[in-house]
Amino acid sequence: MRGRAPAREVERLPVEVHVSAEAASRELAAEIAALMRARAAVGRMAVVGLPTGSSPVFLYRELVRLHREDGLSFANLVTFNLDEYYGLPREHPQSYWRFMHEHLFLHVDSRAEQVHIPDGNVPRARVEEWCRDYERRIVAAGGIDLQVLGIGRTGHIGFNEPGSARNSRTRLVTLDALTRRDAARHFPSETSVPCHAITMGVGTILEAGKIVLLAWGDAKASIVAGAVEGGATEKLPASLLQGHPDVRVLLDRSAAAELTRYRDSRAGER
Ligand code: GLP
């Protein structure tokens, strides 16, 4: 349409649309491997923030492959996971501790002391102190070089649900009803999905040097469009990434489908 701004100008976050989730994940794994190797070459650790959920599964698969086939060592990687359900034992099939070990840590040469995952079993009275300590451990590690994120259908990053403050820190949160409904497919029933979780805050995430958000599939298309093209608002926590100087959103075609650049081209389709 004449006189109209090109679609990409309405995007407030840098977006990369990949042919598939696997292809995007392979590129990100190569970027993480390069960071690890560059740091190893100068005797330093790389610090990476990690998500759970289905979105990073290909990434972890590729990192394991690089370890097995290319000799990529995880000896100089320190990781901080974003979140954990509150009240699930570590061994629970749906705990994020178990997820991370099954998908990554059991298959590479990470030592336990390099791996940080929020503890969902800290007694209630000690949670705040525990969360402050998690923040201190991130700072002591030198801060997060690269933070990988997924996005929930509420727009959450980590478990920062709508209403989470831009400067929020690691804390105990209540899960949104939609988040619990989405998680229910992995649990015996919706009522067995925990109501609470410990998550890094939006402010914690925004302190990472670099942020990469992953979203695949059409179920994410509308919330992705909101985060990328809407204004930055605490009502859609992923949109708060707009305030970060080095952030990228990696999408497959389905997750990108509601962006103006594709909606406009579809408008002309028959
Ligand atoms: C959970 C996690 C989030 C994740 C989201 C999306 O709620 N706490 O960190 O981003 O799920 O999950 P999926 O990647 O399975 O769509």
Side-chain angles (χ1 to χ4, degrees), residues 16 36 73 82 95 100 113 141 154 156 174 180-182 190 192 201 203 211 217 224 231 257 265:
E16 289 174 18
M36 288 158 68
S73 173
L82 279 165
S95 86
M100 288 309 302
E113 62 269 25
T154 59
H156 70 214
T174 301
R180 294 186 64 234
R181 215 176 308 139
D182 281 350
E190 199 172 322
S192 50
I211 299 177
V224 162
S265 60

Side-chain angles (χ1 to χ4, degrees), residues 52-55 83 96 150-152 156 158-159 179 185 220:
T52 48
S54 55
S55 308
D83 50 11
Y96 287 168
I151 179 170
H156 70 214
F159 268 135
T179 298
R185 65 196 143 109
K220 299 287 174 70

Side-chain angles (χ1 to χ4, degrees), residues 200-261:
M200 278 186 202
V202 177
T204 322
I205 291 168
L206 289 174
E207 278 168 16
K210 214 180 236 218
I211 299 177
V212 179
L213 184 144
L214 315 177
W216 326 127
D218 51 14
K220 299 287 174 70
S222 71
I223 201 73
V224 162
V228 170
E229 297 187 356
T233 166
E234 291 174 356
K235 291 183 189 152
L236 199 172
S239 70
L240 299 173
L241 298 174
Q242 292 173 18
H244 193 277
D246 191 348
V247 58
R248 277 178 297 150
V249 177
L250 310 194
L251 305 175
D252 65 3
R253 297 230 173 101
S254 310
E258 294 296 320
L259 295 176
T260 302
R261 55 165 122 164

